[in-house]
């Protein structure tokens, strides 16, 4: 008996007993967790299925709704732009019905002058510059001008 008692109080025996007790506790806690998970998993799966079904059922109508709202907003912007353009055109029409405005525009655009007036067109020499090739182009045959145009287009690509 003395050997048994001594063996019972040895460090190795105590550590083995503590390990067995700890293993039993871990095993019990794992079995409890697994039992809880199995009940919760079924509910969670059902809830996920219901949520996914709702999302799938509402996805297409929501997409259509958003798309139609965007189309309506675009059409309203287009309608506003068209209204503004109509107003500008009405104003322009009213101006053109005024003889003074029509005469002013005819003089400005077509360079008309009234009888007895002398018309002048002033050309700024700094803005009008002809290149050498343009001056020479009138003296050459047409096929040379075409070939030079092909060469310029080819050089622009490089």
């Amino acid at each position: 008996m003395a050997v048994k008692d001594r063996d019972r109080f040895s460090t190795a025996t105590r550590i083995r007993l503590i390990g067995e007790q700890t293993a039993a506790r871990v095993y019990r806690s794992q079995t409890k967790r697994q039992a809880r998970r199995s009940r919760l998993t079924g509910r969670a799966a059902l809830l996920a299925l219901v949520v996914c079904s709702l999302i799938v059922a509402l996805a297409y109508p929501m997409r259509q709704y958003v798309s139609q709202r965007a189309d309506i907003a675009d059409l309203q912007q287009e309608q506003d732009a068209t209204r503004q353009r109509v107003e500008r055109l009405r104003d322009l029409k009213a101006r053109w019905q005024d003889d003074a405005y029509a005469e002013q525009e005819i003089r400005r655009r077509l360079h008309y002058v009234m009888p007895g007036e002398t018309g002048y067109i002033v050309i700024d020499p700094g803005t009008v510059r002809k290149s050498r090739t343009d001056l020479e182009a009138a003296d050459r045959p047409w096929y040379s001008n075409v070939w030079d145009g092909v060469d310029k287009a080819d050089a622009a690509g490089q």
Side-chain angles (χ1 to χ4, degrees), residues 38-58:
S38 64
R39 284 187 302 181
L40 187 61
T41 303
R43 291 178 185 168
L46 182 63
L47 180 63
L49 181 66
V50 168
V51 169
C52 288
S53 299
L54 286 174
I55 289 172
V56 168
L58 295 176

Side-chain angles (χ1 to χ4, degrees), residues 52-136:
C52 288
S53 299
L54 286 174
I55 289 172
V56 168
L58 295 176
Y60 184 73
M62 286 302 294
R63 190 185 72 149
Q64 290 288 45
Y65 174 76
V66 170
S67 172
Q68 288 176 359
R69 294 303 298 174
D71 289 344
I72 289 170
D74 290 342
L75 289 173
Q76 285 175 344
Q77 285 180 344
E78 185 179 332
Q79 185 180 21
D80 292 340
T82 304
R83 281 187 183 140
Q84 290 173 357
R85 184 168 181 263
V86 166
E87 287 299 318
R88 284 194 313 267
L89 290 174
R90 282 184 183 154
D91 292 343
L92 185 61
K93 180 182 175 187
R95 275 192 262 154
W96 273 104
Q97 290 180 355
D98 182 23
D99 290 336
Y101 179 78
E103 182 181 330
Q104 177 187 1
E105 287 296 310
I106 290 170
R107 287 171 154 253
R108 186 178 65 85
R109 292 182 184 185
L110 302 176
H111 305 289
Y112 278 15
V113 292
M114 296 299 287
E117 294 178 351
T118 305
Y120 295 99
I121 297 177
V122 179
I123 298 174
D124 185 14
T127 59
V128 179
R129 270 198 177 155
K130 290 190 175 183
S131 66
R132 279 188 146 174
T133 57
D134 290 344
L135 292 174
E136 295 171 357

Side-chain angles (χ1 to χ4, degrees), residues 13-58:
T13 307
R14 278 195 251 153
I15 290 175
R16 191 172 3 114
L17 284 172
I18 291 173
E20 289 172 358
Q21 290 171 354
T22 305
R25 286 184 198 138
V26 168
Y27 178 74
R28 277 184 273 155
S29 68
Q30 284 179 353
T31 55
K32 287 179 184 177
R33 265 193 229 142
Q34 288 174 354
R36 284 186 203 147
R37 280 188 194 154
S38 64
R39 284 187 302 181
L40 187 61
T41 303
R43 291 178 185 168
L46 182 63
L47 180 63
L49 181 66
V50 168
V51 169
C52 288
S53 299
L54 286 174
I55 289 172
V56 168
L58 295 176

